[in-house]
Structure formats: C-alpha cells, structure tokens
Amino acid sequence: MNKRSLILDTIKSGCLIFTVITVISYIAGTLLSSANKAFIPTLKWILLFLAFSVVLAFANLLLGSKKASLGAKLGLHFLATAALYFVVVVLCGGFIASGAQTIIAMTLFLVLYGIFAAIFAVASSTRKKEKNKKEKYDSMFS
C-alpha cells in the first residue's frame, strides 16, 4: 500500500470514528438533558471530536504493525491515545479546572481503553491462531 492511499484510508477511519463519537455524544446528551440544562455538544466539542478522531486514526496505525509484539503495540498505542485524550479532552475540553473532573475523565478513558484493548487482543489472538492452523507443518527432523 502506498503512502497516499494509507493516509486517505487513515483519514477515512478518522471520519468514521468522528461520526461514531458524535452520534453517541448526541444520544447521551439528549438522554441527559433536561428543561433547565442541555448537554448537547457545542461546536467547540465537535471540533475537538474531529481532532481527536483523526489523530486517533493515525495512532491506530501502530496496531497494524507486523514487526512489534501485541504487548508492545498496545503499550505504544495506549501512551499515544492517553496523551491525545489528555490534551484534547482534558486540557482543551476544560476538565483540568477541577481535580475531580480530571480524575473522572481519565478513569473513563482507562475503562474504555481497557474494554477496547481486550477486544483487540482477543481478536488478534484469534486471527493469529486461525493463520497458524492454515499453515502446513513440515518436520525439520524427519
């Protein structure tokens, strides 16, 4: 795959992530809103979602590496996404104003990352086992 198509596919992936995050935030906002207080995302939040999604899509390229082990890929991806989440959501989103909000925001990230990392690890392991089953075994000693 050439660099141009890799970049375009990554941007498309970022747009897909952006769409999912935006739809989920609007659904949650609608469910949590009341007559006195609305939780619908503002333009600032939508732009933060877009920045987060595109950079996250580029961070996801780490997971596709064929050379690194699963643990190394997940470790590097965690560091990249944790830094991205902290800068975009916690700092730019204004959650840094209160220590309690910062802890809640980071805990939410850790829980969601743990869920997605577990799903990725299981899927990756399953794919690897299926690939190994299909390979023909040739004995080196007979």
Side-chain angles (χ1 to χ4, degrees):
M1 181 180 278
N2 64 23
K3 288 183 182 182
R4 184 172 187 264
S5 64
L6 180 68
I7 290 171
L8 287 175
D9 287 346
T10 304
I11 290 173
K12 287 177 190 175
S13 176
C15 291
L16 178 65
I17 294 168
F18 168 70
T19 303
V20 170
I21 290 173
T22 304
V23 168
I24 289 172
S25 68
Y26 268 93
I27 291 170
T30 303
L31 294 174
L32 296 173
S33 292
S34 65
N36 300 335
K37 184 137 181 157
F39 289 108
I40 303 298
T42 61
L43 179 61
K44 174 185 172 184
W45 274 100
I46 298 298
L47 293 175
L48 287 173
F49 291 162
L50 180 61
F52 178 82
S53 300
V54 172
V55 177
L56 178 63
F58 279 99
N60 287 343
L61 291 175
L62 294 170
L63 295 176
S65 171
K66 304 272 189 231
K67 297 178 182 176
S69 69
L70 179 61
K73 289 191 283 191
L74 282 175
L76 288 172
H77 186 264
F78 173 77
L79 292 174
T81 55
L84 171 66
Y85 181 82
F86 185 77
V87 169
V88 172
V89 176
V90 177
L91 289 179
C92 296
F95 287 106
I96 199 76
S98 158
Q101 285 182 338
T102 304
I103 290 173
I104 291 170
M106 292 309 290
T107 301
L108 176 66
F109 169 77
L110 289 172
V111 169
L112 289 175
Y113 191 87
I115 291 168
F116 286 113
I119 292 169
F120 179 80
V122 168
S124 178
S125 175
T126 304
R127 261 186 267 121
K128 188 174 181 179
K129 285 179 184 177
E130 288 296 320
K131 181 182 171 191
N132 287 342
K133 277 185 184 179
K134 291 179 183 177
E135 289 181 7
K136 183 181 172 195
Y137 176 74
D138 289 327
S139 177
M140 293 173 44
F141 301 108
S142 58

